[in-house]
Amino acid sequence: MKLLVIGGSYFLGRVFVMQAAGKHDITVVNRGTWSLESLGVKQIKGDRRDDALWRQIEEDVDVIVDFCAYEKGDIARVLRNIRGTVKQYLFISTLDVYERGLGGMKTEDAPFETRVFPGEAGAYIAGKVALERELREVCGEMGIACTVLRPAFIYGPFNYAPRESAYIQLMVQNHALPHITDAEGTFQFVYVKDAAEAAIQCLLNPAAYGQAYNLCQDQTVTYEAFYEALCMAADVEAEELPVTAEAAQNMGIPLPFPVTAEESELSSNEKSKRELGVSYISFQEGMARTYRAFKGVYQSQP
């Protein structure tokens, strides 16, 4: 199967390429920050906003897997300029596309958020919502099958975002683990290898054509459960550092997950398990694997 992967050198895209390499003929298009040639894939360097980049791709492609579309026009630019034919477009979106405040477990047919929130997070949500609509419109015009994956907070090896890795770094290097004592938020995770496997299961899968899938583990998580999972995963002495959310912010400790109950939004993973056969590892096991991966990184740093 010929895959054109957009992104592919960071986190989920990187893990997807690692898991799919050797089984598929993969070309990766990205800015070339990290070389992927050791994985046996072809790499094209360039800016996805450059129309000429896509015009140089003349071979037919079975599936485009897009990990880094964020702004309206990103998908249309690819499909309107690429020279070869495309059978399927797999777009990595986010659970954040759903309307806030609906309550309960959101399924894939929940309404999109129509409000535009301020800041970088607001722009990210608005961009993903616009791109999901753009995907269906352009693919419909061109007769291309499309599939959307909506992951929760992705965690695991290679995560460059200062989320779980920031806490593991404090444990390994400072021997301290922040314990947020007053947070009431509830949130969901998906382990990076599970998300990558879900993407693989979508490739030229007729059952996935025209579908969207929520990707999240069975467990809902709180800051307390997050703290406990890290304690159980750790094999170094780390002193508990009890702090309120406000104090953590003042100390520069990241609070990457919802802190309040009002911020909490939850989604159902039943469709991904039923139709794609995704089996999610437990949060505790995923965090143990993540801890081991990052421990080696931070121990090697001065």
Side-chain angles (χ1 to χ4, degrees):
M1 193 183 304
K2 287 191 175 183
L3 307 181
L4 180 65
V5 176
I6 307 175
S9 60
Y10 286 108
F11 201 26
L12 176 56
R14 183 186 185 99
V15 173
F16 171 85
V17 171
M18 291 170 67
Q19 292 185 197
K23 303 172 186 175
H24 303 289
D25 181 356
I26 301 176
T27 298
V28 177
V29 178
N30 58 29
R31 289 172 293 182
T33 305
W34 302 99
S35 174
L36 298 170
E37 293 180 358
S38 63
L39 298 176
V41 304
K42 179 182 177 182
Q43 192 165 7
I44 299 174
K45 299 178 183 179
D47 186 337
R48 70 172 299 152
R49 293 169 294 184
D50 181 2
D51 291 356
L53 171 68
W54 305 110
R55 294 193 192 110
Q56 68 179 284
I57 300 175
E58 299 181 347
E59 294 183 351
D60 294 342
V61 174
D62 289 311
V63 187
I64 294 176
V65 188
D66 195 343
F67 290 97
C68 64
Y70 299 111
E71 299 177 357
K72 185 178 180 180
D74 280 352
I75 292 173
R77 182 179 298 108
V78 175
L79 291 176
R80 297 197 191 285
N81 285 286
I82 196 169
R83 299 293 179 88
T85 61
V86 178
K87 295 178 181 176
Q88 182 188 16
Y89 201 113
L90 175 57
F91 170 51
I92 311 304
S93 185
T94 172
L95 287 180
D96 285 334
V97 295
Y98 296 124
E99 182 180 340
R100 299 290 189 278
L102 295 177
M105 288 282 186
K106 298 186 185 71
T107 59
E108 286 79 358
D109 58 358
F112 283 166
E113 182 58 78
T114 57
R115 294 165 291 182
V116 178
F117 299 103
E120 185 176 327
Y124 173 79
I125 294 168
K128 290 292 188 179
V129 170
L131 284 164
E132 286 209 30
R133 292 184 171 130
E134 178 175 299
L135 175 74
R136 296 187 184 279
E137 178 183 348
V138 178
C139 285
E141 292 174 1
M142 303 181 73
I144 298 170
C146 63
T147 306
V148 176
L149 295 181
R150 298 171 182 156
F153 288 110
I154 307 173
Y155 73 109
F158 304 110
N159 190 1
Y160 59 89
R163 293 174 180 162
E164 73 280 358
S165 61
Y167 284 74
I168 295 171
Q169 183 176 17
L170 286 170
M171 295 173 71
V172 173
Q173 295 184 343
N174 295 8
H175 300 287
L177 177 58
H179 184 183
I180 312 302
T181 57
D182 61 344
E184 298 180 347
T186 305
F187 35 94
Q188 292 168 295
F189 287 94
V190 59
Y191 187 59
V192 63
K193 290 187 177 181
D194 290 344
E197 181 58 30
I200 290 171
Q201 292 303 315
C202 290
L203 301 176
L204 291 188
N205 179 354
Y209 293 172
Q211 300 298 318
Y213 298 96
N214 297 337
L215 303 182
C216 50
Q217 289 172 325
D218 295 332
Q219 304 98 320
T220 57
V221 182
T222 62
Y223 271 93
E224 183 67 25
F226 177 69
Y227 170 81
E228 291 174 356
L230 282 174
C231 286
M232 292 178 65
D235 58 359
V236 296
E237 290 292 330
E239 181 181 356
E240 177 186 2
L241 179 61
V243 289
T244 63
E246 182 178 3
Q249 283 186 312
N250 293 335
M251 295 168 65
I253 297 171
L255 297 172
F257 316 118
V259 172
T260 67
E262 291 74 21
E263 295 176 284
S264 303
E265 302 287 340
L266 302 176
S267 298
S268 168
N269 65 9
E270 289 301 319
K271 184 178 178 182
S272 65
K273 292 194 292 186
R274 182 178 66 251
E275 297 187 8
L276 298 179
V278 179
S279 178
Y280 296 99
I281 67 169
S282 71
F283 177 64
Q284 179 59 57
E285 175 58 26
M287 194 56 71
R289 296 182 188 182
T290 303
Y291 173 83
R292 290 193 294 268
F294 279 110
K295 177 188 174 185
V297 173
Y298 293 129
Q299 280 186 328
S300 65
Q301 294 179 351

